[in-house]
Structure formats: C-alpha cells, structure tokens
Amino acid sequence: MKILVVDEMHECLLPLLHNLGAEVSYQPTFGKKDAEQVIHQYEGLLIRSKFFIDSAFLDLATSLKFIGRAGAGLDLIDLEACKERGVEVFGANEANKVAVAEHLLGMILMLFNKLNTSPQEIRNDQWLREKNRGEELMGKTVGIIGYGHNGSTAAARFAAFGCRVLAYDKYKRGFGSAEIEEVDLETIFTEADVFSFHVPLTEETRKWADSAFFSKFRKPIYFCNVARGEIMVQEALIQALENGKVKGACLDVLENEKITALTDKGRKEFEYLRAHPRVILSPHVAGWTIESYRKINEVLCEKIKTLYKL
C-alpha cells in the first residue's frame, strides 16, 4: 500500500509502516494544494490537523482507502463525504487519553492551590500565606459529559483523588461502576462542584456551553474544557465568571486559538481570560506529551494492520 503523511510525526512512524509493507511518502511540509496534486496515487493518508478534508479533496483522491487522524477528534474531516466514497476514517483517541487526564488533573490542582499566581508573588518578594490558602479536590463532586477514552480515563483519576464522579454520555449506557455514577444531565447540573467536557466537536456540541447552559448549574462550579474550544461560547463563560456561576476555569482550548488574528471582541475576551487569577490556560497541549507522540503512531499502525488484516 502507498501512504502519504502530511504532518510531522514521531520518528517511529516510518519503521512501523515499513514493517506493514507500506510504501510511505513523508511530506510534513505539504500544504493542501501540494497534497491535492498527488493524493490520487495513495491508498492511505495520515494527517494531524493541517487542513480540512472536504468533498473536493476526496474527489481527487481516487485511490484512497483510509484516512488516519494522528490525534483525537475527527472534526477536520467530512465524515459523510468519506462514507459516501467508501473511505475508512479513524483517529488515535486512545493514544492520548492518559496525557489528557493527567493534564486536566494538573490544571485543576494548580487552580485549587493557586499555583498559577503564588510563585510569581514569591518572585516579587511577597510571602502571602492566607491569600494562597488552597482548596482540596478530595470530596468534590465531579460531573463529566462524554465517557469515551478521555472521559473514562479522567473519571478514574478523579475517583482516585477521592471525588464523587458523575458521568453522562448520550450514546452509552451501562458503564457505571462502584466508583463512577452513570447519571442524567440534570443530576450533573444539580450536584456538580467541578465540571469537565470530554465530547467531540460536532454540530450537536458546537456552542453547547452557552449562557443557558451555565445557568442550569445549581451550584457555582469550576469549569474545565480540554476537548474543543468551539464547544463553549467564550462570552458566556466570561459572563458566568463575572456573575459567580463559574468560580474558576481550566481551559486547554479556546473558541478561537489563532490568537494573533483575533477580532477586537475576541481580543478583549482573550485578554480577560489571560488576566483572570482563577483561569488556567494552556495552548491545546493536553494530549501532547512525549509518550503520546509515540503512542499515536502505534495506534494508527495497529488500526491500519486491522483494516488490511495483516
């Protein structure tokens, strides 16, 4: 099989693909136009997030059998168009589930213990013990929406910290256990102290966390999003921070992550979040660890192996 790779991947990828008998063209500098010129030659395409794969691109990919996404989420691929053309699509969601869960726990522990602000205070010769009194995660009720690879792995970590964990998934049933309570949305809105999204970006989830969403929580919450930024309406989150519905936020993703090209409104929102002492930001790296970088390739190659029954 001939496979085109258009993003930078861990160096282990080429040996893994060669062991499957594949002929690989590794082109990490390719843009969409470059790929369009040659895609008709390839059965497989491996991509991270370089460009959107639409019907026009697929029309040129006359030999394409599969697309492997080197990461979690398939929102940059027209899945319906792939289905119509018989192109198999798969991601590597399970490869970064530990990375995402650990990053999320790190962010919430940082927020609870004011580790985003106190180190700088000390560097400025301020030794403010009472101001930096922490809050314990143990005993908190954590609400999780989405119980796939990332949601279930995060849930297990919260449970290990002594949290009561509530989980809801519209498309799954029967996953509850002694440590994880399978509940409806209303229970999460009523009882959660900490809330975390673990759902893909779809037309159903886009802008889900709007003003009406935040108003449904009975108690003030800590809000976490390590999924996709477009799931939340940034303006609504800011309003919730201002009116006390949200006590603090951990955000690995933003509604618009092209921070050098924001509108005036987007820039004001970003500046607000960046300056807020109870908001922890990271640059969409929750699933991007040294270990997950390698695991992503291993998962993709296993799925290619399964697809071709090798």
Side-chain angles (χ1 to χ4, degrees):
M1 78 190 89
K2 295 181 69 175
I3 299 174
L4 177 64
V5 182
V6 296
D7 266 301
E8 284 193 25
M9 304 280 192
H10 188 279
E11 60 189 15
C12 72
L13 178 65
L14 297 184
L16 287 170
L17 290 174
H18 289 152
N19 287 341
L20 296 179
E23 179 184 329
V24 185
S25 178
Y26 183 62
Q27 303 292 346
T29 62
F30 264 26
K32 190 172 186 179
K33 288 185 178 180
D34 299 310
E36 287 174 341
Q37 298 299 313
V38 299
I39 192 60
H40 64 280
Q41 303 173 31
Y42 295 94
E43 291 177 55
L45 173 66
L46 297 184
I47 188 169
R48 194 160 70 231
S49 54
K50 183 164 280 186
F51 52 78
F52 185 78
I53 296 175
D54 53 17
S55 294
F57 182 88
L58 292 167
D59 286 342
L60 300 171
T62 51
S63 301
L64 200 63
K65 301 267 193 310
F66 69 86
I67 300 169
R69 164 100 208 293
L74 303 174
D75 45 282
L76 291 175
I77 302 171
D78 188 332
L79 298 178
E80 191 59 37
C82 288
K83 185 177 179 181
E84 289 171 0
R85 292 161 176 78
V87 176
E88 192 82 21
V89 182
F90 49 84
N93 303 42
E94 55 269 58
N96 60 12
K97 61 184 181 181
V98 171
V100 171
E102 289 189 1
H103 191 94
L104 171 60
L105 264 293
M107 292 182 92
I108 199 73
L109 290 170
M110 189 175 182
L111 181 62
F112 275 24
N113 293 284
K114 300 181 175 61
L115 295 177
N116 60 318
T117 53
S118 61
Q120 189 57 50
E121 291 171 357
I122 294 171
R123 292 187 182 100
N124 294 333
D125 292 332
Q126 296 175 292
W127 194 263
L128 307 174
R129 295 187 70 223
E130 185 57 36
K131 179 187 174 186
N132 289 295
R133 185 188 291 271
E135 187 173 353
E136 294 179 10
L137 182 56
M138 183 176 181
K140 298 290 189 295
T141 297
V142 178
I144 287 176
I145 292 184
Y147 202 73
H149 293 294
N150 288 338
S152 60
T153 305
R157 268 64 178 175
F158 277 115
F161 270 79
C163 298
R164 178 189 176 207
V165 182
L166 312 177
Y168 167 81
D169 193 305
K170 183 177 180 179
Y171 300 99
K172 286 189 176 182
R173 295 290 184 274
F175 57 79
S177 66
E179 294 183 329
I180 312 299
E181 298 178 42
E182 183 180 347
V183 300
D184 56 16
L185 276 175
E186 185 56 37
T187 302
I188 288 178
F189 287 133
T190 302
E191 302 184 24
D193 301 304
V194 177
F195 171 82
S196 187
F197 267 128
H198 295 273
V199 295
L201 177 63
T202 65
E203 288 310 306
E204 188 176 20
T205 63
R206 189 181 297 274
K207 298 186 183 297
W208 189 359
D210 57 10
S211 296
F213 177 89
F214 288 112
S215 71
K216 292 177 183 178
F217 286 95
R218 192 74 54 84
K219 298 188 283 185
I221 59 161
Y222 290 98
F223 175 80
C224 305
N225 188 4
V226 293
R228 287 289 186 271
E230 298 92 332
I231 293 170
M232 67 181 181
V233 178
Q234 221 155 260
E235 184 178 16
L237 172 60
I238 290 170
Q239 290 172 353
L241 282 162
E242 290 182 333
N243 66 30
K245 274 291 189 180
V246 170
K247 295 163 70 175
C250 298
L251 307 174
D252 182 54
V253 291
L254 295 174
E255 193 173 15
N256 184 352
E257 295 174 3
K258 296 176 181 175
I259 60 173
T260 59
L262 295 171
T263 63
D264 289 344
K265 177 177 178 293
R267 171 56 57 179
K268 287 178 182 178
E269 291 174 358
F270 176 67
E271 294 292 348
Y272 177 91
L273 293 172
R274 184 170 67 175
H276 201 295
R278 287 180 283 108
V279 174
I280 308 291
L281 299 173
S282 58
H284 203 149
V285 293
W288 197 236
T289 60
I290 294 168
E291 293 82 0
S292 71
Y293 193 27
R294 171 183 284 274
K295 288 178 190 175
I296 283 170
N297 291 344
E298 293 170 348
V299 168
L300 289 176
C301 288
E302 278 301 313
K303 291 186 177 181
I304 294 170
K305 185 177 178 180
T306 300
L307 179 64
Y308 280 86
K309 298 181 173 61
L310 298 175

